[in-house]
């Protein structure tokens, strides 16, 4: 009988100890995840990129590094969030060498040199800048072909000849970026 009571006490202590250790581990995991999520959110908000996205980010990181961007990883991530990635990367390179805090002679701001009086406030976030610039370009492309849309992005609704030179430069760089992109292997197994 004494032995039975001792076993019950040991079982209670075992479960108490296990519960205490488990709850401490749970708290540690929650704290670590919270800290990890906070640090990851500053670079990659909300989602962890898939391997395909990582592949693209690495490609654009190399591109922005080659063209002298001071923040190639941030610009690569920003461009990877757009639909026209090659075009948007080329635009950022031509407009500012991929510098999100750039300010132009006429007050254009950001990596894509957006005029705030025409298109609204420019965010400090490279990702938001890329999305804003792509929205502007998409708006222009509703009534124009890509070359003319790019010229209008640069020179307004009636772009001068120099704006077509700008458009051709972007298209040339975009093609170069596309051709340098490593081809993904397709598993047909």
């Amino acid at each position: 009988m004494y032995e039975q009571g001792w076993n019950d006490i040991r079982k209670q202590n075992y479960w108490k100890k296990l519960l205490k250790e488990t709850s401490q581990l749970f708290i540690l995991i929650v704290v670590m995840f919270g800290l990890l999520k906070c640090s990851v959110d500053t670079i990659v908000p909300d989602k962890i990129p898939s391997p395909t996205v990582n592949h693209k980010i690495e490609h654009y990181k190399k591109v922005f590094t080659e063209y002298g961007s001071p923040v190639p990883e941030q610009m690569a991530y920003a461009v990877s969030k757009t639909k026209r990635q090659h075009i948007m990367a080329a635009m950022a390179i031509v407009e500012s060498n991929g510098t999100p805090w750039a300010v132009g002679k006429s007050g254009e701001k950001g990596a894509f040199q957006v005029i705030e009086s025409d298109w609204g406030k420019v965010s400090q976030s490279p990702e938001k800048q890329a999305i804003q610039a792509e929205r502007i370009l998409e708006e222009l492309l509703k009534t124009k072909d890509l070359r003319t849309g790019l010229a209008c992005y640069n020179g307004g609704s009636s772009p001068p000849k120099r704006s077509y030179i700008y458009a051709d430069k972007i298209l040339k760089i975009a093609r170069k970026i596309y051709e340098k992109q490593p081809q993904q292997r397709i598993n047909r197994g």
Side-chain angles (χ1 to χ4, degrees):
M1 185 119 173
Y2 177 76
E3 189 63 34
Q4 180 65 32
W6 182 248
N7 283 338
D8 288 342
I9 292 172
R10 277 194 290 188
K11 284 180 185 175
Q12 285 177 351
N13 286 340
Y14 170 76
W15 288 111
K16 283 181 184 178
K17 185 178 178 184
L18 183 62
L19 182 62
K20 184 178 179 182
E21 289 175 357
T22 306
S23 63
Q24 288 173 344
L25 181 61
F26 178 75
I27 291 169
L28 179 64
I29 290 169
V30 169
V31 169
M32 292 302 292
F33 181 76
L35 292 174
L36 177 64
K37 184 157 174 41
C38 289
S39 63
V40 169
D41 278 351
T42 59
I43 300 170
V44 184
D46 299 331
K47 295 181 182 177
I48 297 173
S50 67
T52 305
V53 173
N54 282 335
H55 179 75
K56 289 179 181 179
I57 291 171
E58 284 304 312
H59 169 64
Y60 288 111
K61 183 178 173 184
K62 288 177 187 174
V63 167
F64 281 107
T65 300
E66 177 185 332
Y67 283 96
S69 172
V71 286
E73 192 163 339
Q74 289 177 338
M75 290 305 301
Y77 181 75
V79 165
S80 75
K81 293 302 208 176
T82 63
K83 295 175 193 160
R84 298 175 181 265
Q85 297 168 355
H86 299 87
I87 298 293
M88 300 313 294
M91 285 174 67
I93 288 164
V94 170
E95 290 286 359
S96 68
N97 283 342
T99 307
W101 54 84
V103 178
K105 294 175 188 171
S106 301
E108 314 90 355
K109 292 185 178 177
F112 299 88
Q113 295 293 281
V114 173
I115 299 173
E116 289 184 318
S117 61
D118 292 342
W119 298 104
K121 185 163 175 53
V122 176
S123 171
Q124 296 292 322
S125 160
E127 181 181 348
K128 289 179 181 176
Q129 289 178 14
I131 291 167
Q132 181 183 27
E134 185 176 45
R135 260 192 263 127
I136 294 167
L137 183 60
E138 291 299 324
E139 186 65 32
L140 295 169
L141 294 178
K142 286 180 180 177
T143 57
K144 296 163 180 52
D145 63 75
L146 181 57
R147 183 173 182 255
T148 306
L150 288 167
C152 289
Y153 183 93
N154 178 258
S157 59
S158 298
K161 186 175 182 176
R162 68 172 169 73
S163 292
Y164 285 95
I165 295 169
Y166 161 90
D168 291 338
K169 185 175 182 179
I170 287 178
L171 292 171
K172 183 178 178 182
I173 292 172
R175 177 174 291 279
K176 184 178 174 185
I177 292 169
Y178 177 78
E179 288 172 352
K180 282 188 171 185
Q181 182 173 350
Q183 298 301 311
Q184 292 184 18
R185 294 182 187 158
I186 299 172
N187 186 359
R188 298 188 191 262

PDB file of all heavy atoms in Angstrom, residues 44 109 111 148 171:
ATOM      1  N   VAL A  44      11.093  39.779 -46.051  1.00  0.00           N
ATOM      2  CA  VAL A  44      10.124  39.038 -46.850  1.00  0.00           C
ATOM      3  C   VAL A  44       8.808  38.985 -46.082  1.00  0.00           C
ATOM      4  O   VAL A  44       8.603  38.080 -45.291  1.00  0.00           O
ATOM      5  CB  VAL A  44      10.634  37.611 -47.140  1.00  0.00           C
ATOM      6  CG1 VAL A  44       9.672  36.874 -48.038  1.00  0.00           C
ATOM      7  CG2 VAL A  44      12.016  37.640 -47.753  1.00  0.00           C
ATOM      8  N   LYS A 109      10.802  60.568 -57.611  1.00  0.00           N
ATOM      9  CA  LYS A 109      11.275  59.861 -56.423  1.00  0.00           C
ATOM     10  C   LYS A 109      11.269  58.357 -56.597  1.00  0.00           C
ATOM     11  O   LYS A 109      10.461  57.810 -57.339  1.00  0.00           O
ATOM     12  CB  LYS A 109      10.408  60.221 -55.210  1.00  0.00           C
ATOM     13  CG  LYS A 109      10.576  61.654 -54.771  1.00  0.00           C
ATOM     14  CD  LYS A 109       9.794  61.928 -53.518  1.00  0.00           C
ATOM     15  CE  LYS A 109      10.008  63.368 -53.071  1.00  0.00           C
ATOM     16  NZ  LYS A 109       9.216  63.693 -51.893  1.00  0.00           N
ATOM     17  N   ALA A 111      13.067  54.312 -56.844  1.00  0.00           N
ATOM     18  CA  ALA A 111      13.831  53.538 -57.825  1.00  0.00           C
ATOM     19  C   ALA A 111      13.270  53.694 -59.235  1.00  0.00           C
ATOM     20  O   ALA A 111      13.999  53.579 -60.214  1.00  0.00           O
ATOM     21  CB  ALA A 111      13.823  52.065 -57.427  1.00  0.00           C
ATOM     22  N   THR A 148       5.674  52.504 -76.817  1.00  0.00           N
ATOM     23  CA  THR A 148       5.054  53.818 -76.647  1.00  0.00           C
ATOM     24  C   THR A 148       4.685  54.053 -75.177  1.00  0.00           C
ATOM     25  O   THR A 148       4.852  55.155 -74.658  1.00  0.00           O
ATOM     26  CB  THR A 148       3.814  53.960 -77.545  1.00  0.00           C
ATOM     27  OG1 THR A 148       4.196  53.664 -78.893  1.00  0.00           O
ATOM     28  CG2 THR A 148       3.229  55.352 -77.475  1.00  0.00           C
ATOM     29  N   LEU A 171      13.965  48.298 -73.218  1.00  0.00           N
ATOM     30  CA  LEU A 171      13.687  47.031 -73.903  1.00  0.00           C
ATOM     31  C   LEU A 171      14.962  46.237 -74.152  1.00  0.00           C
ATOM     32  O   LEU A 171      14.972  45.004 -74.029  1.00  0.00           O
ATOM     33  CB  LEU A 171      12.938  47.305 -75.206  1.00  0.00           C
ATOM     34  CG  LEU A 171      11.517  47.846 -75.016  1.00  0.00           C
ATOM     35  CD1 LEU A 171      10.926  48.295 -76.351  1.00  0.00           C
ATOM     36  CD2 LEU A 171      10.625  46.816 -74.340  1.00  0.00           C
TER      37      LEU A 171
END
